[in-house]
Amino acid sequence: MKAEILCVGTELLLGDIVNTNAVFLSRELAKLGIDVYHQSVVGDNSERLKSCLAHAMEQSDLIITTGGLGPTYDDITKETVAELFGLPMELNETSLQEIKSFFARIDRPMTDNNKKQAVMPKGAIVLQNKNGTAPGLIVEENGKAVVLLPGPPREMKPMFLEGVLPYLRRDAQTTLVSHNIHIFGLGESQVESMLRDRMEQLKNPTIAPYAKDGEMLLRITASAEDASHADAMIRPLLSEVSDLLGDAVYGVDSGSLQNAVVQALSENHKKLASAESCTGGLISKRITEIPGASQVFDCGICCYSNEIKRRVVGVSEDTLARYGAVSRQTAAELAAGARRLSHADIGISTTGIAGPDGGTKDKPVGLVYVGVDSDWHREVLELRLSRGYPDERELIRWLASSHALFLALQTIRRLQR
């Protein structure tokens, strides 16, 4: 089955809203073995939307739209699809009652224009919206299907999972299962050179590399009659690749480096604290994005000034005078100070020059020291993170925080050896 995703909304074209819906839908369709051949974005214009839909129906079997199901005059997706299929519009009483119940539940008045959301193309399969006022729908004709979903992700995602997924599974012949190997410290070209022969040999399962800032991901995917068989096909290859890449693998299906750190801390009953200079709290932010972080993360200290490094964290005045704030010695004392203040098991630190100004010949922009301190391991890394890009301050800060998280993870894993 060939599928196409068409996201509707002028705000998407203008860049006011990031289009996360297409990412979610592509991943979910891939799990079903449905190939997404095209993705498009169109504004709230009836003629342009009609043209896009007509073209999509010529080249695809399944078209999924998001957006344009609201109560206002420029929400025209349903009406355009009805016109394209030659279907009259009619009031769906069940949808109208659900919309009324939604407003009663949130104790807000329902305006007349909300009734527009209960008007559907005749014969459409209506999808209940438990998280908003816009029902979704499915229109079928001549082996083609158009699925219309609301634009807000908090409404679109559950509607797809609860309503569209069972509909699509009726005709699914195969299931795709993927597992992700997360890698830090090895570049895409290096990993590809290590695995190229294997990747070229494989047909099912397959390995696909994806580069990210400072890390990369290998997605291993298998197709089978059901998920359990596909998973069984993947497992030996997961072990083979993980063994080959060794310590550079920070997790399988971990989601993120910070999630892997929080999980490892929790499994080993350890706590972490940080003292950050150049990253300015980014490590703390990333860790506290993860549910359960409060059980393993004691505190994060943002110590930009030398005074705070000295007075709060305990970096010695002699160290700052002799070596400077950006130094191996200061990074070591910051990590130790964070651990001492919080009584955590592990302290991590960052200090460096993120730029764009402030660098010297001896200490250029991108020089960062990352430290870790624990009873069983102490280490300071010297990093050169500048890539020569314009406006790379945030990239340097991100990479520094990633190195600190990875160093913390490696320190935890030393306990298991």
Side-chain angles (χ1 to χ4, degrees), residues 56-364:
M57 290 180 65
E58 289 177 2
Q59 61 188 6
S60 301
D61 309 301
L62 170 68
I63 300 96
I64 300 181
T65 73
T66 65
L69 302 182
T72 60
Y73 72 94
D74 59 345
D75 290 311
I76 53 172
T77 305
K78 277 186 306 185
E79 292 78 2
T80 304
V81 168
E83 183 180 350
L84 190 64
F85 278 87
L87 299 173
M89 300 289 285
E90 62 182 15
L91 181 67
N92 184 282
E93 288 291 344
T94 301
S95 295
L96 181 60
Q97 293 305 313
E98 288 173 352
I99 294 170
K100 288 180 178 179
S101 298
F102 178 86
F103 279 100
R105 189 165 67 249
I106 64 173
D107 195 25
R108 287 177 55 188
M110 174 179 162
T111 56
D112 286 341
N113 58 355
N114 284 110
K115 294 178 182 177
K116 172 179 180 290
Q117 295 178 290
V119 179
M120 302 287 177
K122 187 175 182 179
I125 301 170
V126 180
L127 304 171
Q128 184 183 11
N129 188 344
K130 299 177 182 178
N131 302 281
T133 60
L137 60 144
I138 302 171
V139 180
E140 300 172 305
E141 185 178 274
N142 298 326
K144 306 277 187 177
V146 182
V147 178
L148 288 75
L149 301 173
R154 67 179 181 277
E155 300 178 30
M156 185 276 295
K157 291 180 180 180
M159 186 181 292
F160 180 89
L161 295 173
E162 296 169 14
V164 182
L165 208 53
Y167 167 82
L168 295 175
R169 278 180 174 153
R170 298 179 312 176
D171 303 317
Q173 301 298 312
T174 60
T175 297
L176 288 184
V177 172
S178 295
H179 289 291
N180 299 318
I181 299 177
H182 300 274
I183 302 159
F184 189 85
L186 294 178
E188 183 180 18
S189 58
Q190 187 177 0
V191 172
E192 198 264 357
S193 67
M194 296 169 70
L195 292 169
R196 182 170 182 174
D197 291 344
R198 197 75 175 96
M199 287 193 284
E200 289 178 344
Q201 293 168 0
L202 292 166
K203 302 300 180 185
N204 186 27
T206 60
I207 303 176
Y210 299 89
K212 302 168 71 176
D213 283 339
E215 58 181 278
M216 67 166 300
L217 176 151
L218 290 175
R219 179 166 295 146
I220 301 180
T221 303
S223 173
E225 63 270 23
D226 56 51
S228 62
H229 282 86
D231 193 71
M233 294 165 64
I234 290 173
R235 290 295 168 183
L237 188 57
L238 272 178
S239 297
E240 176 190 337
V241 174
S242 297
D243 290 344
L244 177 65
L245 298 176
D247 289 341
V249 174
Y250 72 75
V252 175
D253 297 328
S254 299
S256 68
L257 190 48
Q258 54 266 34
N259 191 69
V261 171
V262 170
Q263 184 177 350
L265 287 166
S266 179
E267 290 173 353
N268 288 276
H269 308 289
K270 300 298 180 184
K271 290 193 174 184
L272 178 73
S274 65
E276 304 181 58
S277 185
C278 63
T279 49
L282 185 54
I283 296 171
S284 297
K285 175 186 179 296
R286 291 178 66 176
I287 291 174
T288 55
E289 287 172 351
I290 307 304
S294 60
Q295 303 301 311
V296 297
F297 184 61
D298 269 355
C299 76
I301 307 157
C302 181
C303 46
Y304 242 49
S305 74
N306 282 359
E307 173 66 13
I308 298 301
K309 289 180 178 69
R310 182 187 62 79
R311 181 162 53 86
V312 176
V313 190
V315 178
S316 76
E317 203 167 310
D318 181 63
T319 294
L320 292 168
R322 291 179 63 188
Y323 303 107
V326 180
S327 65
R328 182 180 298 276
Q329 293 80 3
T330 295
E333 292 187 32
L334 285 172
R339 189 162 78 96
R340 183 176 58 253
L341 274 171
S342 64
H343 302 289
D345 302 287
I346 302 170
I348 53 175
S349 67
T350 57
T351 181
I353 303 169
D357 303 315
T360 66
K361 183 179 179 180
D362 293 333
K363 295 184 178 182

